[in-house]
Amino acid sequence: MSWIPFKIGQPKKQIVSKTVERDFEREYDKLQKLEDQTKKLHKDMKKSTEADIAMSKAAVKISNDLLNNPLCEQDPSFQESMVALDTAMRRMDAFNQEKVNQIQKTVIDPLKKYSSVFPSLNMAVKRREQAMQDYKRLQSKVEKYEEKEKTGPVMVKLHQAREELKPVRDDFEAKNRQLLDEMPKFYHSRIDYFQPSFEALIRAQVVYFTEMYKIFDELTEQIDTPGQTDEQRERENEAKLNELRALSIVADD
């Protein structure tokens, strides 16, 4: 969001002190950045959960494809391993869906609701800006009559201009005072609002990865060959690959 003041003639009398205007701009700038950061975080969280879902669904598809591989029918040991893998992937997918649902409710939805407040805030700032322009316009009008010769008609018009100015000035001062009071409160409230969401996010991740550790630990026990190190498995796989490379049908011309 951006705030661009209207361009009009400036009255001689200073409507708002430079200090007050600097304070206003500083507080509003903080809220503009907060809005941008909130929108970005909401977008990134949605992308993250969508990627999580895609990852777990892809893992389930791969394990299902392996389980339906004709090789499983020929090798009971391989089939047993693929059944264990498929079961683990489906459990992982279920826990991942629970995590995503929890993040949606405790983080993504609150971020969306928080973002929905900013349009009203921006409108309040625009109304304050419009009130300031009206104030300046009428103040300039009063000053114009004050500078003229004090004839009867001029004094009548001056009186009318001052009467017209008073409610407009009061309206601007009320809007300005309210925003200067409430913008810092709104900004500082972000911590109390978001802290429960981020705590819930951490808890959801902890629960998920704790369950993942259990699932893959059990899977390792089911499919692991006892007594073999990773280096031994790597050498064994390399030896089998060399046997395949030695076949004439895959030999280089």
Side-chain angles (χ1 to χ4, degrees), residues 6 9 12 14 18 24 60 71 86 107 117 121 151 157 200 220 223 230 249:
F6 300 99
K12 294 179 180 179
Q14 189 172 26
K18 292 182 180 179
F24 183 90
V60 169
L71 182 59
D86 188 60
V107 182
V117 176
L121 169 66
T151 63
K157 290 181 180 180
T220 300
I223 69 174
D230 290 341
I249 58 173

Side-chain angles (χ1 to χ4, degrees), residues 16-246:
V16 184
S17 72
K18 292 182 180 179
T19 300
V20 170
E21 195 62 20
R22 278 198 303 267
D23 290 344
F24 183 90
E25 291 175 357
R26 183 186 65 249
E27 294 301 325
Y28 189 48
D29 182 63
K30 286 159 62 176
L31 292 179
Q32 287 180 298
K33 291 176 180 176
L34 178 60
E35 180 184 16
D36 292 340
Q37 291 164 354
T38 302
K39 287 180 178 179
K40 184 177 185 303
L41 183 57
H42 177 257
K43 183 178 179 180
D44 289 345
M45 287 301 305
K46 285 187 66 177
K47 284 184 178 180
S48 175
T49 54
E50 289 168 359
D52 280 351
I53 292 173
M55 179 275 298
S56 64
K57 296 299 181 187
V60 169
K61 185 179 185 305
I62 291 171
S63 66
N64 186 65
D65 289 346
L66 289 171
L67 184 59
N68 293 322
N69 191 300
L71 182 59
C72 282
E73 299 175 3
Q74 305 168 18
D75 189 335
S77 176
F78 182 70
Q79 183 177 37
E80 184 178 341
S81 295
M82 291 305 98
V83 168
L85 176 63
D86 188 60
T87 300
M89 294 302 98
R90 293 182 186 280
R91 289 175 63 195
M92 178 190 72
D93 184 47
F95 279 114
N96 186 62
Q97 190 61 57
E98 287 183 17
K99 179 194 71 173
V100 167
N101 291 342
Q102 185 70 9
I103 292 174
Q104 180 70 41
K105 289 188 296 185
T106 60
V107 182
I108 296 177
D109 288 347
L111 281 168
K112 184 178 180 180
K113 291 177 182 177
Y114 194 79
S115 294
S116 69
V117 176
F118 287 98
S120 297
L121 169 66
N122 296 333
M123 186 57 64
V125 171
K126 288 181 180 179
R127 285 195 293 266
R128 181 254 190 194
E129 179 61 25
Q130 182 59 59
M132 179 189 286
Q133 304 314 313
D134 292 341
Y135 183 7
K136 288 181 178 180
R137 175 176 55 81
L138 291 173
Q139 178 62 37
S140 295
K141 185 177 180 180
V142 168
E143 291 174 359
K144 181 184 71 173
Y145 288 122
E146 287 176 338
E147 292 171 356
K148 289 188 176 183
E149 183 180 353
K150 301 299 186 290
T151 63
V154 169
M155 294 305 293
V156 170
K157 290 181 180 180
L158 176 59
H159 176 73
Q160 291 174 341
R162 285 172 175 170
E163 289 298 307
E164 189 180 359
L165 172 64
K166 185 178 184 303
V168 173
R169 181 185 62 228
D170 292 345
D171 179 56
F172 166 74
E173 290 177 350
K175 286 181 170 62
N176 189 57
R177 186 166 52 249
Q178 182 182 34
L179 282 166
L180 284 172
D181 177 59
E182 294 185 359
M183 285 195 298
K185 292 179 180 178
F186 182 87
Y187 183 77
H188 292 300
S189 71
R190 74 198 188 285
I191 298 174
D192 291 336
Y193 183 86
F194 284 123
Q195 186 169 347
S197 292
F198 296 143
E199 289 175 352
L201 172 63
I202 293 171
R203 285 195 297 271
Q205 297 284 10
V206 169
V207 169
Y208 173 74
F209 285 108
T210 298
E211 293 300 330
M212 290 308 97
Y213 176 81
K214 294 177 183 177
I215 289 172
F216 284 99
D217 187 53
E218 293 173 10
L219 179 62
T220 300
E221 292 180 0
Q222 290 174 290
I223 69 174
D224 209 5
T225 304
Q228 270 196 325
T229 64
D230 290 341
E231 290 77 10
Q232 289 172 325
R233 293 190 189 91
E234 187 177 346
R235 285 197 296 270
E236 183 178 309
N237 289 339
E238 186 63 29
K240 291 177 180 178
L241 182 60
N242 288 333
E243 291 176 8
L244 292 173
R245 287 171 176 159

